[in-house]
Amino acid sequence: MTTSPVAPLSHVFSGFLEMPYYKNAALASGALHTNANHEDALKVVLISYGYVMWKPEKAFKKKNVDHPIFAEDMPVGSFVEQPFGSQSSPDFFIKTTNNKLVALEAKSSAGVTPLYNSGGVKSNYFYVFSSQKTNQTTIFKGCDIIADAQHQLIIEYIADEK
């Protein structure tokens, strides 16, 4: 069996940027032979650049998300889909060619801005945002749109409201 070489994450991101609009939950790109949703489309791009899906022996624990040691057995050039379940972020963990663990979250919107659930924006996550209005995809890192101090204020506000 021949395996294809794994591309640097920058190449994968270039592939993401070429994607049309996809809803997170249902087919919306208009293409006949396409993926059912945004997350599936991202997975196809990852695989096309040589990344392979990896299933950990033990489930990841959400409390350890900021400590990459929980994925130390994860092979370089692999990804885990929905590491904490379908209702929790991130949508993917990717182990890059330089042995870095990257959290990736898919976002889609009919407009030009993404919406976030109660978990808010994670400064260390990469977001792949697909806009129906522009039929384009963009990528940004959480820290590019919210400072840690702002995120902490939001967390404190939510805690106070509960």
Side-chain angles (χ1 to χ4, degrees):
M1 180 169 132
T2 309
T3 58
S4 59
V6 179
L9 196 58
S10 61
H11 294 191
V12 176
F13 279 13
S14 292
F16 290 159
L17 291 172
E18 294 173 6
M19 293 171 51
Y21 169 71
Y22 288 93
K23 267 188 179 179
N24 275 355
L27 177 67
S29 69
L32 291 175
H33 302 289
T34 190
N35 304 292
N37 64 50
H38 194 203
E39 292 163 14
D40 285 345
L42 294 175
K43 182 168 54 173
V44 167
V45 171
L46 280 163
I47 292 168
S48 75
Y49 282 90
Y51 286 79
V52 296
M53 191 180 313
W54 181 68
K55 298 242 185 219
E57 288 183 26
K58 290 191 245 175
F60 290 161
K61 299 208 184 295
K62 186 76 171 179
K63 66 181 180 179
N64 296 333
V65 70
D66 292 325
H67 305 286
I69 193 164
F70 73 90
E72 65 185 13
D73 295 335
M74 188 174 173
V76 167
S78 66
F79 66 91
V80 176
E81 186 176 19
Q82 303 295 339
F84 304 117
S86 62
Q87 298 303 309
S88 294
S89 66
D91 293 316
F92 298 95
F93 275 123
I94 304 165
K95 192 76 157 278
T96 67
T97 55
N98 59 356
N99 206 33
K100 301 269 187 205
L101 187 66
V102 172
L104 188 78
E105 177 74 11
K107 289 289 180 189
S108 294
S109 171
V112 294
T113 58
L115 299 175
Y116 303 91
N117 58 21
S118 61
V121 178
K122 307 286 192 255
S123 65
N124 58 335
Y125 284 18
F126 282 94
Y127 291 86
V128 180
F129 173 63
S130 179
S131 167
Q132 182 178 23
K133 186 171 186 173
T134 63
N135 195 34
Q136 293 180 322
T137 296
T138 192
I139 301 168
F140 57 91
K141 196 164 183 187
C143 63
D144 293 335
I145 63 169
I146 190 168
D148 286 338
Q150 291 170 310
H151 187 250
Q152 189 58 41
L153 285 172
I154 292 168
I155 289 170
E156 291 170 11
Y157 173 77
I158 291 170
D160 287 347
E161 288 299 308
K162 287 183 178 179

